[in-house]
Amino acid sequence: MIRIPQDIIDAMIRQACDELPDEACGLLTGTDGVVQARYAMTNIDHSPEHFSFSPQEQFNVLKEARRNGQKIIANYHSHPATPARPSEEDIRLAFDPQIVYIILSLAAGTPDIKAFSMAGGRMQSCGIEIIAGK
């Protein structure tokens, strides 16, 4: 289970809409499964079908999270034209069992957000609880 403030969910949706037709991506930091900050990242692939983070941006987020007593607890990306479920590429690249993988779909016209974790080499659905903003 991951707990995400409503204002961070809203910002993720705005980013996904603003970056159409490409996939949007970012990192969420916090403690004990509660998201405290969102970092919009650059999709250096500039693609509607896949994304890659900028290594320098990733490093900067990691440094800031540590400075704030947090850790990266999730990454997210959008699916502009497909459902909120992991693609084959998403599964292949999801190698960290310590974080949650969030997919935000815009395919149906209404944002759909789902979370997944990697356990035993398989992606499994996990819960999202939307909490009051900061």
Side-chain angles (χ1 to χ4, degrees):
M1 170 72 72
I2 187 167
R3 301 176 73 209
I4 307 174
Q6 182 67 58
D7 58 331
I8 289 178
I9 294 284
D10 294 342
M12 291 165 55
I13 293 168
R14 274 192 308 277
Q15 178 192 1
C17 291
D18 289 347
E19 294 188 22
L20 285 171
D22 293 339
E23 287 190 357
C25 57
L27 295 170
L28 303 176
T29 63
T31 57
D32 301 321
V34 179
V35 173
Q36 296 168 312
R38 174 189 76 95
Y39 296 88
M41 305 287 282
T42 302
N43 176 355
I44 61 173
D45 293 339
H46 302 287
S47 169
E49 297 173 355
H50 52 88
F51 74 98
S52 294
F53 291 137
S54 156
Q56 184 61 52
E57 286 179 353
Q58 282 182 285
F59 182 70
N60 292 343
V61 170
L62 182 61
K63 283 191 336 188
E64 186 167 337
R66 286 180 177 164
R67 193 170 40 250
N68 294 328
Q70 301 172 13
K71 62 182 183 173
I72 296 171
I73 60 175
N75 72 40
Y76 68 89
H77 73 280
S78 63
H79 281 186
T82 58
R85 65 174 177 251
S87 66
E88 287 184 28
E89 180 173 299
D90 294 336
I91 294 168
R92 182 175 55 80
L93 297 174
F95 58 88
D96 188 345
Q98 303 300 313
I99 68 168
V100 173
Y101 297 86
I102 297 173
I103 300 174
L104 188 163
S105 173
L106 300 174
T110 302
D112 182 27
I113 301 174
K114 296 214 166 54
F116 303 88
S117 62
M118 180 55 84
R122 293 182 39 161
M123 275 277 209
Q124 299 178 342
S125 182
C126 69
I128 296 176
E129 180 183 353
I130 298 174
I131 60 177
K134 300 176 185 175

